[in-house]
Amino acid sequence: MFFAQIGIGSMENFSYLFADENSKEGMLIDPAFDHEKLCQVIKKESINLTRIVLTHHHYDHVNAANAVKARTGAEIFCHRETVGLLRGGAAHDKLIDDGDHFMVGENEVKVIHTPGHAPGSLCLIVADRWLITGDTLFVGDCGRSDLPGGDFAALFGSLQKIKQLPDHLIVCSGHNYGSEKLRQLGDEKRLNPVLLAPDLEAFKKC
Ligand SMILES: [Fe+2]
């Protein structure tokens, strides 16, 4: 499967682009700041973009979604709790929720609802290889829960969900905030204090 981690904007954001090797059907996660840059990669790789997925509603993850949609015809997917919070940067076409599966060409994508950083935060497992975590989990840390709609206890619960996932998944986070741009979930479980915290009290001290 084609995979690209695209650093974008002035807030160290990452957008992610996936495409099926044969059919060229593609999916873009969290388009922001620079639709030209994203569309150039889509064009260069001859990708037929059918889906734009928003991991959550924050402006720095969605503000190029409408522009990419206009250029490619892709539909915008997000969680129902994201819809009412989207402002100015993205419309939405279809809802996705915890437990949903869909295909990008021959590749399965699984949806996990991980509230806490934002109420509609989603993680995605792509082709049993990549774990898109948005701002829920970063390399070596997690997202904040003190923004409007954030929930500290829910974030801890979502991190416990992520801890149950297989070690071989590659964590693809929403910002370049860590010591590495990508790291296996097994290493996060071993090294990331927010995943090592056994309970809420310990998590508070992270
Ligand atoms: Fe965020």
Side-chain angles (χ1 to χ4, degrees), residues 56 58 60-61 117 135 147 175:
H56 62 297
H58 289 156
D60 57 318
H61 295 257
H117 173 71
D135 287 359
L147 297 169
H175 289 267

Side-chain angles (χ1 to χ4, degrees), residues 72-91:
T72 61
E75 292 183 305
I76 299 174
F77 291 68
C78 66
H79 189 266
R80 67 178 182 280
E81 296 205 58
T82 292
V83 175
L85 299 167
L86 287 172
R87 285 187 195 92

Side-chain angles (χ1 to χ4, degrees), residues 70-201:
R71 291 270 293 269
T72 61
E75 292 183 305
I76 299 174
F77 291 68
C78 66
H79 189 266
R80 67 178 182 280
E81 296 205 58
T82 292
V83 175
L85 299 167
L86 287 172
R87 285 187 195 92
H92 88 284
D93 296 295
K94 293 195 172 140
L95 298 177
I96 45 177
D97 204 345
D98 195 63
D100 284 353
H101 296 220
F102 59 86
M103 303 297 287
V104 176
E106 303 273 304
N107 308 278
E108 187 179 43
V109 180
K110 297 179 188 173
V111 180
I112 309 168
H113 183 212
T114 51
H117 173 71
S121 284
L122 296 174
C123 292
L124 304 173
I125 298 173
V126 183
D128 191 32
R129 180 160 183 208
W130 293 279
L131 174 63
I132 304 293
T133 59
D135 287 359
T136 299
L137 180 69
F138 301 129
V139 169
D141 205 348
C142 65
R144 54 198 288 182
S145 60
D146 58 345
L147 297 169
D151 183 321
F152 183 77
L155 180 59
F156 180 72
S158 292
L159 294 171
Q160 305 319 296
K161 261 191 195 179
I162 290 172
K163 265 167 87 169
Q164 306 306 314
L165 301 174
D167 288 358
H168 70 265
L169 295 174
I170 300 165
V171 173
C172 301
S173 72
H175 289 267
N176 184 18
Y177 287 166
S179 55
E180 300 164 63
K181 290 183 176 177
L182 298 166
R183 195 155 74 176
Q184 281 202 320
L185 184 57
D187 289 331
E188 288 308 308
K189 291 182 196 176
R190 203 164 48 81
L191 299 168
N192 189 332
V194 303
L195 291 183
L196 289 167
D199 51 40
L200 261 179
E201 280 308 306

Side-chain angles (χ1 to χ4, degrees), residues 7-64:
I8 207 147
S10 58
M11 296 171 69
E12 304 257 22
N13 282 76
F14 285 130
S15 290
Y16 293 94
L17 181 61
F18 293 92
D20 184 86
E21 294 286 354
N22 297 316
S23 70
K24 297 288 184 185
E25 182 180 356
M27 167 176 71
L28 180 64
I29 317 284
D30 286 357
F33 298 116
D34 190 347
H35 68 275
E36 285 292 346
K37 181 176 181 177
L38 297 168
C39 287
Q40 273 172 17
V41 183
I42 291 165
K43 191 174 174 196
K44 178 169 164 272
E45 300 295 330
S46 303
I47 291 168
N48 171 28
L49 196 78
T50 58
R51 286 183 177 82
I52 295 166
V53 180
L54 310 177
T55 61
H56 62 297
H57 70 279
H58 289 156
Y59 185 71
D60 57 318
H61 295 257
V62 308
N63 66 40

